[in-house]
């Protein structure tokens, strides 16, 4: 295993710090389940999940996005996932089977890229 020891990481000019939050790092991520109960298995910048019914979950953010214009990406152990219209403070994820029926699932992975408020 390699180990990296540095005193300072600088930008390309060598003068300033590297600002990862100004780049395209995920601003929100969440791994959760809805199979028997809706629960977070791991997350960053997620305050809560709301179970809106079978396969229908609202993810609320701890720190809001600058606007509703950001990108969400998700996948699940079911056939399909899709998103409702996001707001600056939350997003909706819907999971379903191959017939597009809403279904709870064992694992949903969700992340958001955009600008924080």
């Amino acid at each position: 295993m390699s180990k990296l020891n540095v005193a300072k990481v600088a930008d390309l000019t060598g003068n300033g710090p590297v600002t990862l939050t100004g780049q395209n790092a995920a601003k929100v991520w969440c791994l959760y389940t809805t199979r028997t109960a809706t629960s977070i298995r791991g997350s960053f910048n997620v305050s809560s999940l709301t179970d809106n019914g079978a396969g229908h979950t609202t993810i609320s953010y701890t720190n809001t996005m600058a606007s509703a214009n950001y990108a969400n990406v998700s996948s699940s152990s079911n056939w399909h996932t899709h998103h409702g219209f996001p707001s600056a403070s939350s997003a909706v994820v819907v999971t379903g089977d191959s017939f597009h029926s809403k279904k709870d699932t064992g694992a949903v992975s969700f992340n958001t890229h955009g600008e924080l408020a």
Side-chain angles (χ1 to χ4, degrees):
M1 178 186 295
S2 298
K3 185 175 184 180
L4 179 63
N5 290 314
V6 297
K8 182 178 180 182
V9 177
D11 62 10
L12 290 175
T13 66
N15 298 318
V18 176
T19 307
L20 186 57
T21 56
Q23 298 173 5
N24 291 320
K27 302 306 188 293
V28 177
W29 69 262
C30 188
L31 175 63
Y32 67 95
T33 183
T34 58
R35 174 110 348 121
T36 55
T38 300
S39 63
I40 297 172
R41 295 166 65 182
S43 69
F44 172 75
N45 196 24
V46 173
S47 61
S48 65
L49 299 178
T50 303
D51 185 349
N52 302 312
H56 188 200
T57 305
T58 300
I59 301 170
S60 297
Y61 307 147
T62 303
N63 299 295
T64 61
M65 303 299 288
S67 71
N69 299 317
Y70 54 87
N72 290 324
V73 180
S74 65
S75 63
S76 78
S77 55
N78 279 351
W79 286 89
H80 301 283
T81 62
H82 66 272
H83 308 107
F85 293 102
S87 72
S89 60
S90 66
V92 172
V93 177
V94 178
T95 58
D97 62 17
S98 60
F99 300 104
H100 299 279
S101 298
K102 293 178 186 175
K103 298 285 183 185
D104 287 337
T105 185
V108 181
S109 176
F110 171 86
N111 69 65
T112 297
H113 292 267
E115 184 178 342
L116 289 171

